[in-house]
């Protein structure tokens, strides 16, 4: 992972157990954010809990909801794999027969879509500008690389992480750019809303950012750009896609360049 300093949101590092306090301080220094011994003393809306072999985000106001982790071996992701929910995303990026495009996931987030693509056999470059999320992704990739589940290990070997703003990246090997920007409209699942809510609390939304990302992506030397949208949302920046692949709650707008 590059040592680039990315944007940092409102986050405090807290040890999950008393013995993890030195580790919490060390990570806070690395992330350039505060650390406190107890979550109740944190003034930020989001807390990063650290244990010796785990880390997770918790939104302070939403303590009743479960924490947000990056875990590629999680039952949720493994279910998504078995239930065939991967197919739409695979089709959108151009997985067909023996074809496995190399994908630049320019909005890596919690790495779930990137994992799905890697599991389908695509080489995936993940770019995430939040250093907190990049740290969680790096940790998850390290764990996945020694997972007891061989498919998780294999998928992790196809994923490469970089911290930074995608718009500073020049794709050379990737033939597809995938965007799942931070849109504020609704997605149906409560779990997805909870995860997005933590990401938004960490980084907020800047006006026209998603549109700028699409403009950057379509100017790159790739064959297609795929944008994930909520099923009822208009196309990003009002730009009509070449075609669309629809699921129940989300759709993928495909721009063939
Ligand atoms: C909705 S989340 C993506 C979720 C992801 N598809 C997943 O499956 O977990 C959007 C993420 O994109 C990141 N992001 C937005 N603009 C970015 C940019 N220009 N460069 C890098 N990351 C960006 C945000 O920090 C956020 O974590």
């Amino acid at each position: 992972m590059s040592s680039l300093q990315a944007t940092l949101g409102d986050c405090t590092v807290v040890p999950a157990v008393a013995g993890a306090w030195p580790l919490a301080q060390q990570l806070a220094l690395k992330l350039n954010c505060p650390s406190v011994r107890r979550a109740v003393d944190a003034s930020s809306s989001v807390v990063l809990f650290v244990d010796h072999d785990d880390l997770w985000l918790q939104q302070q106001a939403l303590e009743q909801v479960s924490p947000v982790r990056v875990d590629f071996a999680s039952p949720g992701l493994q279910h998504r794999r078995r239930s065939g929910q991967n197919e739409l995303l695979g089709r959108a990026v151009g997985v067909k027969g023996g074809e496995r495009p190399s994908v630049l996931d320019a909005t890596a987030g919690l790495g779930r879509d990137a994992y799905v693509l890697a599991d389908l056999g695509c080489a995936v470059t993940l770019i995430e500008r939040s250093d907190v999320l990049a740290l969680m992704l790096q940790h998850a990739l390290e764990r996945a690389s020694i997972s007891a589940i061989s498919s998780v290990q294999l998928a992790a070997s196809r994923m490469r992480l970089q911290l930074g703003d995608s718009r500073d990246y020049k794709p050379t090997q990737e033939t597809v750019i995938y965007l799942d920007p931070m849109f504020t409209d609704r997605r149906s699942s409560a779990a997805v809303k909870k995860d997005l809510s933590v990401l938004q609390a960490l980084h907020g939304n800047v006006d026209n950012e998603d549109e700028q990302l699409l403009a950057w992506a379509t100017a790159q030397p790739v064959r297609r750009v795929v944008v994930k949208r909520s099923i009822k949302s208009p196309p990003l920046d009002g730009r009509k896609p070449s075609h669309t692949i629809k699921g129940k709650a989300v759709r993928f707008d495909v721009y063939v360049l």
Side-chain angles (χ1 to χ4, degrees), residues 21 46 58 60 62 84 87 101 111 120-121 127 151 173 184 203 230:
W21 174 234
V46 178
Q58 181 86 51
Q60 292 276 67
L62 300 176
E87 279 170 25
L120 287 170
I127 307 194
S151 59
Q173 284 151 22
T184 47
H203 296 287
S230 162

Side-chain angles (χ1 to χ4, degrees), residues 106-113 127-129 133 164-167 180-182 196 199 213:
T107 53
L110 299 167
R112 292 171 187 174
D113 291 329
I127 307 194
E128 175 52 57
R129 66 179 173 184
L133 293 176
D165 192 312
S166 297
R167 290 167 295 179
D180 175 14
M182 194 80 76
L196 276 181
L199 300 193
L213 208 48

Side-chain angles (χ1 to χ4, degrees), residues 100-194:
R100 295 293 180 271
S102 177
V103 181
L104 171 61
D105 181 347
T107 53
L110 299 167
R112 292 171 187 174
D113 291 329
Y115 175 81
V116 162
L117 291 169
D119 186 47
L120 287 170
C122 301
V124 186
T125 308
L126 295 82
I127 307 194
E128 175 52 57
R129 66 179 173 184
S130 150
D131 37 12
V132 176
L133 293 176
L135 179 80
M136 293 174 73
L137 285 166
Q138 187 184 22
H139 175 78
L141 280 173
E142 282 162 13
R143 276 174 53 154
S145 70
I146 52 166
S147 171
I149 308 172
S150 58
S151 59
V152 172
Q153 257 195 51
L154 186 61
S157 72
R158 299 189 182 115
M159 294 160 82
R160 190 170 67 89
L161 171 67
Q162 194 162 321
L163 168 66
D165 192 312
S166 297
R167 290 167 295 179
D168 298 330
Y169 186 87
K170 193 90 201 152
T172 51
Q173 284 151 22
E174 300 88 351
T175 55
V176 177
I177 296 179
Y178 175 64
L179 302 177
D180 175 14
M182 194 80 76
F183 54 86
T184 47
D185 55 358
R186 285 197 193 96
R187 291 195 203 173
S188 66
S189 134
V192 171
K193 274 191 259 176
K194 174 197 75 180

Side-chain angles (χ1 to χ4, degrees), residues 197-219:
S197 152
V198 173
L199 300 193
Q200 275 166 0
L202 264 179
H203 296 287
N205 266 340
V206 178
D207 281 352
N208 297 327
E209 246 196 337
D210 299 348
E211 289 78 5
Q212 286 168 20
L213 208 48
L214 179 62
W216 162 81
T218 52

Side-chain angles (χ1 to χ4, degrees), residues 70-110:
V70 182
D71 177 8
F72 299 128
S74 71
L77 263 184
Q78 293 308 306
H79 172 74
R80 185 168 162 184
R81 174 176 204 264
R82 282 192 300 273
S83 63
Q85 286 176 49
N86 310 348
E87 279 170 25
L88 296 182
L89 178 55
R91 263 171 50 207
V93 301
V95 168
K96 197 165 74 179
E99 264 178 67
R100 295 293 180 271
S102 177
V103 181
L104 171 61
D105 181 347
T107 53
L110 299 167

